[in-house]
Amino acid sequence: MKKQWKIAGKAGKAVVLALYFIFMVFPLYWMVITSLKPRNEIFALPLQYWPKHISFENYVQIFKISKFQIYLGNSLFISLVAAAIVLVVTILSGYVLARFSFRGASQLMLAFFITQMIPLFIGFSTLYMMMSRMGLLNKQASLILMYTVGLVPFCTIMLRGFFQRIPSSLEEAAMIDGCSRLSALWRVIIPVMMPGISATFIFAFVQNWNELFMAIMFIDNETSKTLPVAMNSFITKFDIDWGSMSAATVLSVIPTVILFAICQRFIVEGLTQGAVKG
Amino acid sequence: MRKATKWMALPMVTVLAVGSLSACSSSGTQKAADGGKAAPAKVNLKMIESLTSPARTEVIKKMIASFEAANPNIKVELISPPLEGADNKISTMLNAREDLDVLEVRDVTVKQFVTNKWIADLSSYTNAWSGYKDLNANAIAMANYINNTPYFIPYGLYEKMLFYRKDWFDAKGLTPPKTWDELYKDAKALTDPANNRFGYSFRGGSGADGYIVDLLRDFNGSNVNPDDAMFLKSGATIFSTPEAKQGLTMYANLYKDGSPKDSVNWAFAEQVQGFVSGTTAMLIQDPDTIDPVSQKLGQGTWATAPMPVGPTGISHYKVGAAGWGVTSYSKHPNEAWKLIEFLSSPEQNAIFTKTAGVIPIHNSASVDKSFTQGAYKPYIDMANDPAHFVSYKPETDYKGFGEWRKIVQQDMQAVLLNHLSIDDALKKWDAYWINEKKQGK
Amino acid sequence: MKPFRLNRTQTFIFLSLLPAVLLVFGFTYFPILKGIDVAFRNYSLFNLTDVHYVGLDNFRAVMGTPQFGTILKNTALWVIISLVFQFAIGFLLALLMRKGFRGRGIYQGFVFYSWALSGFLIGIIFRWLFNGQIGVINDLLLNAGIITERIGFLSDPKWAMFSVIVANIWYGVAFFAIMLLAALQSVPSELYEAADIDGASGFSQLFNVTIPYIMPTILSTVALRVIWIFNFPDLIYGMTNGGPAGSTHILTTYMLDKIIFSGDYGQASAIGIICIIILLLFLVFYMFATKAEKAGDF
């Protein structure tokens, strides 16, 4: 009896996962086959669910004419650097806010939380002036700075939650062994925190990866542009250049899919380690 | 510490990626940073465009390259923000007085730029410019649209005309419509939902306002005041008359009987897409549509015609324009003007207008065959028939114009979806413009 | 503890928080003060030479528009329906993926990639998919015989809100799934072992062990998502631009409209402040309501 239930459960699980997979992948599938259609077949009726002729002209177009390699590089650079800085800043702030209680701690958490409610554009012109005064306009540093700013509150909140679930006895033991607090944090706590840190890192990376508004406003230079801005240029007055757009969408998804696959390993490792003494 | 080394992989990857990428990305920013601070001998101009498209940007870059070749001491940096958000970026830059010398000015933005003292009066330059008098009347009128002062030099003009599927019309034995009522009848005759064919590419979404207002002017006929075209010569609004109701009723029926249901939310792209994909038989659009249409539809399957006229035989047309202006705070206004003068020369303008699909700004260009024959011909016909085709001064300089565009578009959608009656819509619009008149420009 | 030790700890706390605090206050709160000021001024791009104070006029103008009721209702629908489905599907997915299976990494990549696209891009992709004439969704439904006539998903007010919410669910499940999965991984297996010994069924394990353990994560992610969905005009803007006839406007798309069409930063800031006030009220209510759960995670 029990065994049959188990099999039914497994089958049910597989069905649910498969259905969800179809729901999620269909738009991507549509982008992929659109990107492989010759330009004059994209809007051909009846709709083609598989290209009649496979063509790579859209990819050639975005690399040869639109210089996508530059934008991909810029986006990777900015997203990774900003996500790395965010991790350093918020591992410290999240840890401190999880471990110590001090005056102003809860007010600070609230202040962080409230930042999430503020629509970006309020105060944007002031922010633009600040960037101008600091000489950061038209430099990628402006985006790295502002992406970091935007992510600090959320990542602090998230990481604090993960730190709270790890018993403080862990680093106390290490500190008795002679470690400083910082090295105890680095050598004992962080390895145990990998699921949370990976998830936070993915989150931070992805937020940076698809940010559009500030990237349009702060960067003028063709060679410093990011991927979302370049993709937005395919929207013209007449129509959306779906050939280029679909190819660019497919390319922009690849790094994230890889990132998820890599971070998966850390999440699994964290699982085995997370089980240490409760 | 096996686990710890693995975890190190993550920052390592980051560092490696940073190392390999920073080389190419920093060189670009470096150049830009030196922007305005070069030695006085060499002048760097910053120029921004608004109606960006990749093909157009290419042409502008080529024109800039020939300018730089002719003026070795001037270097021009072109900023090409994506179309969506470009005007927003331009006004943010202007408001912050960020380095900028030459900018794209449009008929819808010029008033705002002038009021905020963001762009310079060019009359001292135009007075000394021999090419100024070669501009055609429409170009000069649009350059001086605000305060009778040249604040920008148009690079091209826009004007609407009718595109139609010649093959479908021939098959049904129809001729292109001359009046709005004929257009409605033809649209209805050509509509065949079962075969996903419709008569008219209706514009219900963003940008619907111009279509509605122009139509109501045509129905009001010669009573409209062309100098203040939201109003009649009597001073009442164009929405207050029985003719307006007749026009709007016709327009709502055109949607119901002759257009795809979906078109209630169609904006520019869908409207053109509907026509070139073979869903709709008629499209009213600017000349920049000629190129995409001729690329997608075979020769002989389509043609163009003058705009349909109202019941009294009058059609009102607006000439739109966009062009180049100089910021009021430019440190190099003389060099900036030099660039604009170069871009406005007949040779350069001919290159640009052909790519951008706009009507040229020079009289000499009307001799050019590509603008007197073929798809552009209706413009010549309309210009030569001032008794039936009346040009008017656009209302874009009213304070509430931006808000108005949104209101009329939403209200019209509500009318088409039977959420609002035609009478109530007209009453609301009438009240809006009486109030605008009170508030002034 | 000796005073010396306490001091070192204080220094550690101070230095650890300093970068985060400086960044957030310097680059978020400082510019906001100015933005709040704009809400009480006649601040329109059409004329920035006269930006006098107008008291509460901007708020009156915004709240006085006949559409305001619809906008509030749409905002509520948008937030609540999107949240419920995003959370339910995300949690289910996290539970199903917790145990691991072959190819989970790849599976994750393919179901979570939506999170890596910008809201505006998702908006225009779905605008194409949902298109009433040439859209592939209509084509699929026609081919499958589910419908006989194309549906104007984005042009029919009855369908438009549904369509944008579907797109939003599509986009947002990934967030819950990732965050809840990470939280689930940290549940100590001893807790399950103990529950196994007690003979607890799967469901009672879920409600007695798993959910209480990850409650702090659930509470903070839900609160954050409410705020984010509320402040997420990009997708609707890309898909319907608030139309048809304003039937898909939410507060933040209405705010964008004020900027893009009217250039009226005064009214737009007023809408922004209304948003903040609504969200603050929500947060107070939320914290009060969840205090019993000993969340206290803010």
Side-chain angles (χ1 to χ4, degrees):
Chain A
M1 254 329 246
K2 220 180 170 187
K3 204 170 180 186
Q4 278 168 337
W5 273 113
K6 242 185 177 164
I7 293 171
K10 272 204 166 156
K13 177 175 156 178
V15 168
V16 172
L17 288 175
L19 282 178
Y20 185 68
F21 186 79
I22 294 169
F23 172 64
M24 287 310 293
V25 166
F26 183 75
L28 182 62
Y29 168 77
W30 192 248
M31 288 295 113
V32 172
I33 59 155
T34 300
S35 72
L36 293 173
K37 286 178 184 174
R39 291 188 163 232
N40 53 5
E41 280 180 24
I42 289 174
F43 288 103
L45 294 171
L47 296 177
Q48 299 297 321
Y49 289 86
W50 188 252
K52 269 193 212 146
H53 318 94
I54 289 192
S55 151
F56 291 95
E57 64 173 299
N58 294 315
Y59 291 91
V60 172
Q61 170 91 8
I62 62 171
F63 279 105
K64 274 228 167 113
I65 295 169
S66 309
K67 306 263 182 294
F68 250 62
Q69 56 283 23
I70 295 176
Y71 310 130
L72 267 171
N74 289 341
S75 272
L76 265 178
F77 171 70
I78 293 172
S79 305
L80 285 174
V81 172
I85 297 175
V86 166
L87 273 194
V88 173
V89 172
T90 57
I91 282 176
L92 287 172
S93 59
Y95 174 75
V96 164
L97 284 164
R99 278 295 184 267
F100 303 99
S101 54
F102 50 93
R103 229 163 0 119
S106 56
Q107 284 85 341
L108 191 61
M109 282 302 284
L110 195 64
F112 280 1
F113 217 94
I114 288 172
T115 60
Q116 304 298 299
M117 303 175 180
I118 302 167
L120 170 70
F121 97 93
I122 295 196
F124 182 78
S125 53
T126 310
L127 201 57
Y128 188 86
M129 303 269 195
M130 286 167 72
M131 291 290 141
S132 173
R133 297 250 166 80
M134 290 162 70
L136 287 180
L137 281 185
N138 205 10
K139 294 202 178 119
Q140 296 183 338
S142 63
L143 295 184
I144 294 176
L145 172 66
M146 287 317 297
Y147 293 174
T148 306
V149 168
L151 284 165
V152 161
F154 165 76
C155 293
T156 301
I157 293 166
M158 242 34 232
L159 285 174
R160 174 177 176 263
F162 288 119
F163 277 121
Q164 277 175 330
R165 250 179 268 119
I166 291 166
S168 57
S169 55
L170 225 57
E171 79 256 32
E172 275 157 17
M175 283 166 75
I176 289 167
D177 289 348
C179 281
S180 73
R181 187 171 283 279
L182 211 56
S183 74
L185 173 65
W186 176 253
R187 290 161 69 175
V188 182
I189 306 295
I190 286 178
V192 183
M193 280 269 294
M194 276 323 286
I197 290 177
S198 304
T200 311
F201 181 80
I202 292 178
F203 179 84
F205 175 84
V206 154
Q207 285 295 100
N208 302 339
W209 183 251
N210 65 33
E211 201 284 327
L212 178 64
F213 181 67
M214 285 191 277
I216 291 181
M217 296 306 260
F218 290 152
I219 302 291
D220 301 339
N221 202 310
E222 206 55 40
T223 50
S224 309
K225 274 185 186 165
T226 59
L227 202 61
V229 179
M231 288 171 71
N232 235 39
S233 306
F234 296 136
I235 304 171
T236 66
K237 197 182 152 202
F238 307 106
D239 53 10
I240 296 167
D241 174 2
W242 276 112
S244 301
M245 186 69 97
S246 59
T249 305
V250 173
L251 287 175
S252 79
V253 164
I254 291 174
T256 350
V257 173
I258 294 174
L259 192 70
F260 278 123
I262 294 175
C263 287
Q264 157 78 9
R265 293 186 53 199
F266 292 104
I267 292 182
V268 172
E269 268 173 30
L271 173 67
T272 51
Q273 288 215 331
V276 282
K277 48 219 122 161
Chain B
M1 283 262 114
R2 195 180 61 85
K3 308 283 167 174
T5 31
K6 283 219 168 159
W7 130 250
M8 288 291 287
L10 198 63
M12 282 283 281
V13 169
T14 318
V15 170
L16 278 176
V18 170
S20 61
L21 292 167
S22 56
C24 65
S25 40
S26 59
S27 62
T29 39
Q30 210 55 47
K31 241 181 264 157
D34 309 340
K37 290 170 210 131
K42 185 113 178 161
V43 172
N44 282 285
L45 291 179
K46 269 198 172 190
M47 171 180 184
I48 191 164
E49 56 172 326
S50 155
L51 296 168
T52 317
S53 82
R56 207 188 82 148
T57 302
E58 277 315 301
V59 173
I60 296 178
K61 276 185 186 157
K62 273 186 198 137
M63 292 161 72
I64 287 176
S66 17
F67 174 73
E68 286 174 339
N71 300 276
N73 65 326
I74 306 178
K75 206 176 154 1
V76 183
E77 188 199 331
L78 177 68
I79 307 172
S80 311
L83 180 72
E84 298 259 350
D87 280 335
N88 205 347
K89 172 160 177 147
I90 293 174
S91 48
T92 305
M93 286 180 87
L94 292 169
N95 197 23
R97 308 237 144 193
E98 191 56 30
D99 271 351
L100 203 60
D101 303 288
V102 178
L103 73 161
E104 185 164 356
V105 181
R106 302 165 57 192
D107 48 10
V108 288
T109 52
V110 58
K111 168 80 177 176
Q112 169 197 343
F113 290 176
V114 170
T115 311
N116 295 327
K117 303 189 172 67
W118 286 338
I119 55 174
D121 172 358
L122 300 178
S123 43
S124 63
Y125 298 107
T126 53
N127 288 340
W129 178 36
S130 62
Y132 191 54
K133 57 184 178 305
D134 292 339
L135 299 185
N136 58 40
N138 280 332
I140 290 189
M142 286 315 292
N144 292 280
Y145 169 43
I146 303 296
N147 306 340
N148 277 319
T149 307
Y151 281 106
F152 70 108
I153 304 300
Y155 56 60
L157 306 165
Y158 295 93
E159 195 184 322
K160 287 198 167 62
M161 64 175 165
L162 176 71
F163 295 71
Y164 65 97
R165 285 297 296 262
K166 195 166 181 313
D167 47 350
W168 297 7
F169 272 77
D170 290 348
K172 290 242 171 193
L174 298 169
T175 50
K178 293 217 159 38
T179 67
W180 281 109
D181 285 324
E182 283 175 33
L183 184 133
Y184 166 74
K185 280 184 201 120
D186 291 349
K188 199 174 171 185
L190 288 160
T191 296
D192 180 9
N195 286 316
N196 202 24
R197 261 194 193 188
F198 299 89
Y200 182 69
S201 250
F202 196 86
R203 176 79 164 258
S206 178
D209 48 299
Y211 286 83
I212 299 161
V213 177
D214 278 352
L215 174 96
L216 296 185
R217 284 185 185 119
D218 294 352
F219 272 77
N220 279 303
S222 54
N223 294 330
V224 175
N225 176 5
D227 294 323
D228 195 5
M230 295 310 259
F231 300 90
L232 303 173
K233 284 169 183 157
S234 67
T237 75
I238 55 169
F239 309 106
S240 59
T241 60
E243 288 83 5
K245 185 177 178 183
Q246 191 194 336
L248 205 59
T249 310
M250 188 288 288
Y251 198 53
N253 289 336
L254 177 61
Y255 167 74
K256 281 172 192 143
D257 305 332
S259 310
K261 234 164 94 186
D262 209 38
S263 59
V264 67
N265 215 20
W266 279 8
F268 184 97
E270 289 90 351
Q271 200 191 7
V272 176
Q273 201 64 58
F275 185 70
V276 298
S277 70
T279 306
T280 57
M282 287 182 279
L283 166 73
I284 289 178
Q285 256 312 333
D286 286 324
D288 48 1
T289 312
I290 293 174
D291 192 44
V293 169
S294 62
Q295 273 178 25
K296 299 211 171 98
L297 291 179
Q299 217 179 356
T301 61
W302 63 282
T304 55
M307 283 292 288
V309 298
T312 55
I314 285 179
S315 168
H316 290 82
Y317 71 91
K318 169 187 91 169
V319 175
W324 306 109
V326 178
T327 57
S328 56
Y329 55 87
S330 166
K331 288 187 201 94
H332 313 291
N334 295 329
E335 288 81 1
W337 168 257
K338 216 169 182 182
L339 174 61
I340 294 180
E341 199 182 303
F342 178 84
L343 296 175
S344 310
S345 70
E347 306 80 51
Q348 295 299 321
N349 189 245
I351 300 173
F352 184 81
T353 45
K354 268 175 201 156
T355 313
V358 284
I359 302 166
I361 55 173
H362 292 96
N363 284 321
S364 51
S366 56
V367 195
D368 188 333
K369 270 194 182 165
S370 58
F371 291 108
T372 52
Q373 296 174 350
Y376 280 91
K377 190 169 172 290
Y379 292 122
I380 309 284
D381 297 342
M382 283 154 73
N384 290 337
D385 186 7
H388 294 107
F389 294 92
V390 180
S391 105
Y392 66 87
K393 197 168 173 278
E395 65 282 8
T396 49
D397 54 346
Y398 274 94
K399 249 189 217 133
F401 177 70
E403 182 91 25
W404 157 252
R405 300 186 63 191
K406 196 68 201 173
I407 288 174
V408 69
Q409 182 222 317
Q410 283 196 1
D411 287 351
M412 191 66 215
Q413 285 181 332
V415 168
L416 299 176
L417 298 164
N418 299 321
H419 294 175
L420 182 70
S421 77
I422 287 175
D423 284 320
D424 289 346
L426 286 170
K427 240 181 257 161
K428 193 172 158 193
W429 301 345
D430 181 50
Y432 189 89
W433 280 94
I434 289 173
N435 186 42
E436 275 300 301
K437 187 87 179 171
K438 248 188 258 156
Q439 304 235 325
K441 289 184 181 179
Chain C
M1 276 189 189
K2 291 170 205 159
F4 169 70
R5 185 94 185 130
L6 196 73
N7 251 337
R8 268 188 59 145
T9 310
Q10 279 177 332
T11 315
F12 179 77
I13 293 176
F14 178 76
L15 288 179
S16 301
L17 285 176
L18 191 64
V21 170
L22 278 183
L23 287 170
V24 168
F25 282 83
F27 293 95
T28 304
Y29 279 100
F30 173 68
I32 293 306
L33 291 178
K34 186 105 181 176
I36 289 174
D37 176 64
V38 165
F40 299 96
R41 284 177 183 272
N42 169 39
Y43 199 99
S44 157
L45 271 191
F46 283 90
N47 190 354
L48 291 175
T49 53
D50 175 24
V51 288
H52 61 271
Y53 281 103
V54 291
L56 293 174
D57 278 5
N58 288 327
F59 291 87
R60 269 186 222 113
V62 165
M63 292 164 84
T65 151
Q67 273 194 343
F68 199 69
T70 317
I71 291 171
L72 284 182
K73 198 184 92 196
N74 284 345
T75 310
L77 279 177
W78 167 252
V79 173
I80 294 168
I81 299 178
S82 301
L83 179 87
V84 166
F85 280 91
Q86 286 179 359
F87 178 78
I89 300 173
F91 195 24
L92 179 68
L93 210 61
L95 285 173
L96 292 180
M97 290 171 66
R98 177 180 53 173
K99 281 280 160 59
F101 47 84
R102 244 147 66 92
R104 185 173 74 164
I106 303 290
Y107 184 86
Q108 272 190 3
F110 279 105
V111 297
F112 291 163
Y113 76 94
S114 63
W115 193 247
L117 302 174
S118 72
F120 184 75
L121 179 63
I122 294 172
I124 60 164
I125 291 177
F126 273 84
R127 185 168 86 198
W128 188 25
L129 298 177
F130 273 122
N131 185 298
Q133 288 298 323
I134 52 166
V136 63
I137 294 176
N138 266 313
D139 198 64
L140 279 173
L141 293 174
L142 277 173
N143 286 344
I146 296 170
I147 56 172
T148 52
E149 197 185 334
R150 286 171 210 274
I151 297 173
F153 284 109
L154 302 178
S155 55
D156 185 339
K158 288 197 288 288
W159 284 100
M161 204 64 207
F162 165 84
S163 307
V164 293
I165 289 176
V166 167
N168 192 27
I169 294 168
W170 182 89
Y171 165 66
V173 166
F175 172 78
F176 276 119
I178 297 167
M179 289 301 161
L180 294 175
L181 186 61
L184 286 176
Q185 308 288 33
S186 67
V187 180
S189 52
E190 287 88 346
L191 288 184
Y192 290 117
E193 281 155 23
D196 268 343
I197 293 164
D198 295 346
S201 72
F203 266 104
S204 84
Q205 262 189 27
L206 178 65
F207 285 103
N208 294 322
V209 181
T210 314
I211 292 184
Y213 193 82
I214 63 167
M215 202 44 151
T217 308
I218 293 180
L219 290 176
S220 54
T221 47
V222 165
L224 275 167
R225 274 314 274 163
V226 167
I227 294 167
W228 285 346
I229 298 173
F230 193 100
N231 268 337
F232 185 51
D234 321 34
L235 196 153
I236 295 182
Y237 187 74
M239 255 175 109
T240 62
N241 214 337
S247 61
T248 53
H249 259 315
I250 59 170
L251 271 170
T252 43
T253 57
Y254 184 50
M255 179 170 77
L256 273 186
D257 240 28
K258 284 285 171 201
I259 294 174
I260 291 167
F261 283 91
S262 325
D264 195 328
Y265 280 74
Q267 288 192 16
S269 292
I271 300 172
I273 289 173
I274 294 171
C275 290
I276 297 174
I277 292 171
I278 292 176
L279 287 172
L280 275 176
L281 289 175
F282 156 78
L283 192 63
V284 169
F285 172 78
Y286 190 79
M287 284 169 77
F288 181 77
T290 55
K291 204 122 229 171
E293 311 276 348
K294 292 209 175 92
D297 208 0
F298 305 119

